[in-house]
């Protein structure tokens, strides 16, 4: 396409260009040539890559024509910490949702739920600690606190979901009327047994 009047029609694209484009795409996207991206020896997922791209885009949009090395390191550390937060929370929520999530129907004793929470919290913090290894200690600690706070909030939700499945919940509402009815029945039975039918 060399004319300024080009309207976007594929039919008007020159064959040489299409052939070169095809060759370029095959070279760039060849399965033999594609290698997973890694940061600190760990493969980066698509969601994590998106966080890095957003951090870099934010850094460039802040007005810097060419960022300083420290700014790029901060952006990388911020994205890495955010990815560590997301992975740690997922490491907690996925198994916890299978134990006491909204799709579960069985009730779990509160102490058992707390024990599962403690184990999964420790696992989530371990996931975070292995991933959040660079950047300022203050930023890492802030991100770690975010993980703990989010998991604490999620645990409250799981606890309330579990409490709503308690088969004995609300029994106190019926306990007093049932007790009164039972006492009345027993008194009636005693009255029927001890009193004569003519009195």
């Amino acid at each position: 396409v060399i004319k300024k009047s080009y309207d976007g029609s594929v039919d008007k694209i020159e064959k040489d260009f299409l052939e070169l484009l095809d060759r370029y795409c095959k070279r760039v996207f060849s399965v033999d040539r594609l290698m997973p991206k890694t940061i600190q020896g760990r493969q980066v997922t698509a969601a994590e890559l998106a966080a890095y791209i957003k951090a870099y885009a934010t850094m460039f949009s802040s007005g810097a024509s060419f960022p300083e090395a420290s700014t790029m390191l901060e952006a990388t550390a911020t994205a890495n910490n955010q990815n560590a937060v997301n992975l740690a929370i997922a490491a907690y929520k996925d198994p916890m949702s299978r134990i006491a999530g909204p799709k579960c129907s069985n009730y779990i004793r509160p102490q058992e739920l707390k024990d599962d929470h403690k184990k999964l919290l420790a696992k989530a913090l371990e996931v975070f600690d292995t991933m959040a290894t660079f950047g300022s200690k203050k930023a890492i600690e802030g991100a770690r606190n975010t993980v703990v706070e989010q998991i604490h909030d999620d645990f409250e939700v799981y606890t309330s979901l579990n409490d709503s499945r308690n088969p004995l919940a609300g029994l106190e509402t019926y306990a007093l009327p049932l007790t009164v009815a039972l006492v009345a029945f027993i008194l009636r039975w005693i009255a029927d047994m001890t009193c004569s039918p003519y009195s």
Side-chain angles (χ1 to χ4, degrees):
V1 176
I2 51 176
K3 297 182 180 178
K4 291 184 179 183
S5 63
Y6 176 65
D7 62 356
S9 174
V10 177
D11 297 336
K12 295 182 182 177
I13 298 176
E14 293 181 9
K15 299 238 187 266
D16 292 340
F17 177 77
L18 289 175
E19 287 175 15
L20 291 172
L21 179 63
D22 182 56
R23 196 179 305 163
Y24 174 75
C25 289
K26 286 180 180 176
R27 181 177 291 169
V28 170
F29 299 112
S30 168
V31 176
D32 299 332
R33 292 178 165 235
L34 284 179
M35 299 298 292
K37 304 300 178 214
T38 59
I39 293 181
Q40 292 188 333
R42 197 182 63 72
Q43 291 184 359
V44 178
T45 66
E48 294 170 5
L49 185 61
Y52 286 109
I53 290 170
K54 286 178 186 175
Y56 295 141
T58 302
M59 176 186 58
F60 281 108
S61 71
S62 67
S65 57
F66 189 77
E68 299 175 14
S70 63
T71 309
M72 290 196 69
L73 179 63
E74 289 171 13
T76 303
T78 300
N80 187 61
N81 289 342
Q82 185 59 46
N83 287 333
V85 167
N86 293 341
L87 284 177
I89 290 173
Y92 175 82
K93 281 179 118 176
D94 291 345
M96 199 65 169
S97 290
R98 288 190 296 274
I99 294 169
K103 293 183 180 179
C104 294
S105 59
N106 54 335
Y107 174 72
I108 299 171
R109 291 188 338 255
Q111 187 56 46
E112 186 179 337
L113 188 64
K114 284 181 185 176
D115 292 343
D116 289 338
H117 163 72
K118 287 178 185 176
K119 280 190 273 185
L120 292 172
L121 174 63
K123 182 180 175 187
L125 291 177
E126 181 180 328
V127 167
F128 177 83
D129 291 338
T130 57
M131 188 171 173
T133 55
F134 66 96
S136 70
K137 287 185 180 185
K138 183 179 179 182
I140 291 173
E141 193 59 36
R144 193 173 203 276
N145 289 338
T146 301
V147 170
V148 172
E149 290 169 8
Q150 179 66 44
I151 287 177
H152 176 72
D153 293 344
D154 290 342
F155 179 65
E156 289 178 5
V157 171
Y158 290 124
T159 301
S160 66
L161 284 171
N162 190 52
D163 290 345
S164 70
R165 293 185 201 106
N166 187 351
L168 301 177
L171 188 62
E172 64 275 358
T173 306
Y174 302 105
L176 183 62
L178 288 174
T179 304
V180 170
L182 181 64
V183 169
F185 176 77
I186 292 172
L187 289 175
R188 166 92 190 250
W189 182 76
I190 291 173
D192 286 347
M193 295 307 256
T194 57
C195 296
S196 69
Y198 301 108
S199 56

